[in-house]
Amino acid sequence: MVPAYLPSPFAALLGGGRPIDGKRTMVDGRRILGDGKTIRGFVAGSLIGIVAGILQTWIAFTQIEFMGIRLPPFGFTIPDVLITIAALSIGSLLGDMAMSFVKRRINLKRGAPLPVADQLDFVAGAWILTYLVSPQWFVANFTLNIIIVLLILTPLLHIGTNIIGYILGIKKEPW
């Protein structure tokens, strides 16, 4: 999940500039996504996730263990590895953007909390896109036990990193 966990905080850190939605609005008069989703953030976050996934793949193939645990590879051919890593990374940002779209439709402003959805939107996006492009890898690596653990740990990690981002002045809200 490292390629899915890193894009959003790095998109926030390295983003800015032109919004993905071009400041366009929907029929309801509300922005499609808002100023928080930028082209630079999407590209930077995606690339950070992909680079992290490539590093994780290198670690997996070197047989390095941590506390008796080895990282699974993202595939066994370079195209398979890159497709899976890109799906996790880009999918996480697409999931986050989808939730921003929903939040605008229900009239929540940028940064307004939407508990649970805020913590798991990027996971859903990463899982959906990865399943679509690499279903065998997804099923082999995301067992029910792994999914349950990730659904419990991810909100805790998300809240913790958001608090750190808030303290560092990267985020305007601690959620």
Side-chain angles (χ1 to χ4, degrees):
M1 285 298 290
V2 171
Y5 282 157
L6 295 181
S8 188
F10 278 96
L13 179 65
L14 303 172
R18 182 177 164 86
I20 289 174
D21 66 8
K23 298 193 177 207
R24 289 186 294 278
T25 59
M26 297 286 290
V27 177
D28 61 10
R30 297 184 194 116
R31 288 281 298 279
I32 296 170
L33 298 173
D35 289 333
K37 306 302 175 205
T38 65
I39 295 168
R40 183 170 63 211
F42 186 83
V43 170
S46 296
L47 289 175
I48 293 289
I50 290 167
V51 168
I54 291 169
L55 178 61
Q56 189 177 335
T57 299
W58 177 79
I59 292 169
F61 281 112
T62 59
Q63 308 291 321
I64 295 173
E65 291 185 12
F66 179 72
M67 295 176 27
I69 299 171
R70 278 194 17 208
L71 295 172
F74 291 104
F76 295 101
T77 67
I78 291 173
D80 286 346
V81 167
L82 292 176
I83 287 168
T84 302
I85 291 169
L88 285 164
S89 181
I90 293 168
S92 72
L93 290 176
L94 293 175
D96 185 56
M97 284 195 307
M99 189 50 58
S100 289
F101 176 81
V102 169
K103 288 170 87 171
R104 297 305 87 77
R105 302 295 64 78
I106 60 175
N107 207 26
L108 291 177
K109 301 293 181 204
R110 177 179 175 193
L114 189 58
V116 181
D118 282 336
Q119 289 79 41
L120 295 175
D121 56 359
F122 71 97
V123 172
W127 284 350
I128 290 167
L129 188 57
T130 304
Y131 181 79
L132 289 173
V133 302
S134 190
Q136 295 86 0
W137 182 88
F138 182 90
V139 171
N141 288 280
F142 288 107
T143 63
L144 182 59
N145 287 341
I146 296 289
I147 288 171
I148 291 169
V149 167
L150 290 172
L151 290 175
I152 293 168
L153 288 181
T154 298
L156 300 175
L157 289 169
H158 190 266
I159 291 167
T161 57
N162 281 347
I163 290 170
I164 291 168
Y166 177 73
I167 291 169
L168 295 175
I170 297 166
K171 290 186 62 69
K172 293 180 183 175
E173 305 81 18
W175 49 77

